[in-house]
Amino acid sequence: KQEVTQIPAALSVPEGENLVLNCSFTDSAIYNLQWFRQDPGKGLTSLLLIQSSQREQTSGRLNASLDKSSGRSTLYIAASQPGDSATYLCAVSLTSGTYKYIFGTGTRLKVLA
Amino acid sequence: EAGVAQSPRYKIIEKRQSVAFWCNPISGHATLYWYQQILGQGPKLLIQFQNNGVVDDSQLPKDRFSAERLKGVDSTLKIQPAKLEDSAVYLCASSSVRGSKNIQYFGAGTRLSVL
């Protein structure tokens, strides 16, 4: 059974810091992995999608890497800003047939001005 | 393009009452998902539709939860009767597979409080 874990559960950093969020999964047979952002009281917004054949994806100040063999993904945020404060969730898709996603519990990030 | 629409945004009911949530996915998206997100946890998939057929409902408590997607577009999720532990945010998402990608787009969710 696939399980997704995110560490740390919460993180508070001063503005301008570079930071890394971690996601680990127990079954390396994944189809792809997505990182999402969730603001309080809102739905999820997709940030980056990494297909199983890829090792990383970049969008602006965000970079996500994927190491299937070790069951890990990291989300790197460069030069953090107060507007980055949100909960970040990773989710793995198990097969290409159903595209079912299993979500982690999230990392709650607070960037202090 | 318009996003995923959900209603209502908030609902407060007493235990043993019934409640229904509505979702309108992005136009043209064949796949629709209902998730339950309990406070402090990640979303848990309840049911997944491909057009108007069910692909996965393995985690749907079928004794009290039901969902339908008529004509492969809008969907409703119903709880009858509600229990205290059903208090959560219910998220609807839709996706369209482009190439080998499957990016999910989420609605704002319905926050349910069961008293």
Side-chain angles (χ1 to χ4, degrees), chain B residues 43-97:
Chain B
K44 180 183 81 171
L45 180 68
L46 292 176
I47 189 167
Q48 177 180 338
F49 292 95
Q50 183 73 20
N51 296 309
N52 60 348
V54 175
V55 174
D56 188 314
D57 64 356
S58 58
Q59 298 191 94
L60 186 74
K62 298 181 184 65
D63 58 333
R64 298 184 302 106
F65 286 63
S66 64
E68 61 180 5
R69 189 182 185 195
L70 299 177
K71 301 180 182 178
V73 182
D74 292 6
S75 177
T76 56
L77 176 69
K78 296 180 182 178
I79 307 175
Q80 182 179 11
K83 292 185 175 181
L84 297 177
E85 59 261 36
D86 298 331
S87 294
V89 176
Y90 291 84
L91 295 164
C92 178
S94 70
S95 69
S96 173
V97 180

Side-chain angles (χ1 to χ4, degrees), chain A residues 13-112:
Chain A
V13 299
E15 182 178 7
E17 267 201 15
N18 302 324
L19 53 99
V20 174
L21 308 181
N22 297 294
C23 172
S24 61
F25 44 95
T26 55
D27 187 345
S28 62
I30 65 170
Y31 183 64
N32 62 37
L33 183 146
Q34 268 191 275
W35 281 95
F36 293 87
R37 168 184 173 139
Q38 186 173 31
D39 293 284
K42 304 233 177 127
L44 282 67
T45 302
S46 179
L47 297 173
L48 291 164
L49 181 148
I50 310 176
Q51 293 172 256
S52 61
S53 57
Q54 298 175 320
R55 292 193 64 85
E56 67 177 337
Q57 281 287 325
T58 299
S59 176
R61 295 181 295 106
L62 306 179
N63 175 276
S65 66
L66 174 64
D67 184 343
K68 274 180 45 178
S69 61
S70 66
R72 293 180 184 176
S73 176
T74 60
L75 178 67
Y76 176 83
I77 303 177
S80 59
Q81 304 170 358
D84 295 329
S85 298
T87 296
Y88 291 81
L89 294 146
C90 71
V92 298
S93 176
L94 300 183
T95 70
S96 61
T98 65
Y99 299 106
K100 177 178 178 177
Y101 275 96
I102 306 296
F103 280 83
T105 52
T107 294
R108 193 168 61 255
L109 172 66
K110 188 169 185 178
V111 181
L112 305 171

Side-chain angles (χ1 to χ4, degrees), chain B residues 4-9 21-24 34 90-93 106-110:
Chain B
V4 177
Q6 288 189 249
S7 67
R9 286 298 314 276
F21 313 127
W22 174 82
C23 173
N24 179 242
W34 282 103
Y90 291 84
L91 295 164
C92 178
F106 282 78
T110 296

